[in-house]
Amino acid sequence: MAQIVTSQRGPVTGTATKKRKNKPFLLDLYSTALGKKYVMGATGIGMMGFVLFHMIGNLKMYMGAEALNHYAEFLKVLLYPIAPKGWVLWGLRGGLITMLLLHLHAAYSLTVINRHARPVKYQSKRDYQIASFASRTMRWSGIIILAFIIWHLADLTFGVANTSEFNRTEVYDNVVNSFSRTPVALFYVIANILLGIHLFHGAWSIFQSFGWNNPRFNTWRRAFATGFAAIVVLGNVSFPIAVMAGVVG
């Protein structure tokens, strides 16, 4: 009589049936290269809007001290008395800082991913030319712009890098005192030119981040990126130049 051999199976551990805990949708999306590109695009749009409206508001400097000081006070009382004075302004600043940190992290993460991935060719010669130009400047311009933001806050928001005559309520005088220093004025000019280069590439890349990069629209995309960057740079650069030239003061 043939002997039937049966194999005995050991006990199944709990880990074999344990389900993997899913991440929240947004975190799961951000863990992918596509999600990081979305974050880069969304935060880029937010910060582009900020620099544009910040420049437009600062144009009140050409209307005199009273106009610029009144505009600065207006920002402090946004939604008052619904919200306490200054709360909305600091909330906006906190939002901008959050967008900046997300933008930096997404940019760094994408750089790491791209270094380990197989390079993908660009769709057209023009795409390649613009991307190669940006790749030579984006890293260093980004570092200098970050240093500029820190200096700008220390100079005209907190006053620690301004003169001993700094007065939070006299924004016009603070701007004039700051830009009367030649090294500071030159730094602002150089930083804003680099900001323009950064904005040009950012405005161009937003369409790629969201998949809106049909080659048929390349001419329009280039015009938008060039125009947006030029408007912001010309407006911001005009402030230190106007002070140094004695147009305002």
Side-chain angles (χ1 to χ4, degrees):
M1 183 174 181
Q3 184 177 2
I4 300 175
V5 178
T6 59
S7 59
Q8 293 184 351
R9 191 174 179 183
V12 179
T13 62
T15 56
T17 59
K18 186 178 180 180
K19 292 183 179 180
R20 183 179 178 183
K21 188 176 180 180
N22 293 327
K23 294 180 181 178
F25 172 74
L26 292 178
L27 289 178
D28 192 40
L29 178 62
Y30 185 69
S31 66
T32 66
L34 181 63
K36 289 176 172 59
K37 288 180 180 180
Y38 285 161
V39 169
M40 284 282 290
T43 55
I45 291 173
M47 290 188 291
M48 284 171 61
F50 167 75
V51 296
L52 177 63
F53 286 104
H54 184 62
M55 182 275 294
I56 292 173
N58 287 337
L59 288 174
K60 290 185 176 292
M61 184 179 77
Y62 294 114
M63 299 173 64
E66 184 177 354
L68 184 61
N69 292 340
H70 184 269
Y71 168 68
E73 185 61 29
F74 162 77
L75 294 177
K76 296 177 183 178
V77 296
L78 284 173
L79 294 184
Y80 178 81
I82 297 176
K85 288 184 179 180
W87 280 35
V88 174
L89 178 59
W90 278 105
L92 292 173
R93 287 170 175 167
L96 284 168
I97 293 173
T98 301
M99 285 192 292
L100 176 62
L101 293 176
L102 286 172
H103 197 78
L104 291 172
H105 185 269
Y108 173 77
S109 300
L110 284 172
T111 300
V112 173
I113 291 173
N114 290 336
R115 284 177 179 174
H116 293 89
R118 180 171 58 88
V120 179
K121 293 183 178 180
Y122 290 96
Q123 294 180 356
S124 67
K125 184 178 179 181
R126 178 170 292 187
D127 274 349
Y128 174 77
Q129 289 172 345
I130 292 176
S132 62
F133 166 77
S135 65
R136 293 194 300 267
T137 59
M138 289 297 284
R139 183 178 301 175
W140 290 108
S141 65
I143 293 173
I144 296 174
I145 291 168
L146 181 60
F148 166 70
I149 292 172
I150 296 172
W151 169 267
H152 183 65
L153 291 173
D155 185 23
L156 295 176
T157 300
F158 303 110
V160 296
N162 207 302
T163 65
S164 58
E165 301 174 0
F166 182 85
N167 188 330
R168 292 183 183 275
T169 62
E170 301 295 332
V171 176
Y172 183 90
D173 290 341
N174 295 335
V175 172
V176 171
N177 291 336
S178 179
F179 292 157
S180 295
R181 299 171 291 176
T182 301
V184 174
L186 290 176
F187 178 52
Y188 270 83
V189 171
I190 294 171
N192 274 285
I193 291 174
L194 293 174
L195 174 63
I197 296 172
H198 212 86
L199 286 173
F200 170 80
H201 176 62
W204 171 273
S205 299
I206 281 173
F207 298 93
Q208 284 186 316
S209 297
F210 292 105
W212 308 328
N213 56 333
N214 193 307
R216 292 180 299 172
F217 304 122
N218 278 349
T219 301
W220 183 89
R221 289 168 60 196
R222 186 182 182 89
F224 168 74
T226 303
F228 185 89
I231 290 172
V232 172
V233 171
L234 290 175
N236 284 340
V237 165
S238 73
F239 303 134
I241 292 178
V243 173
M244 295 295 294
V247 177
V248 297

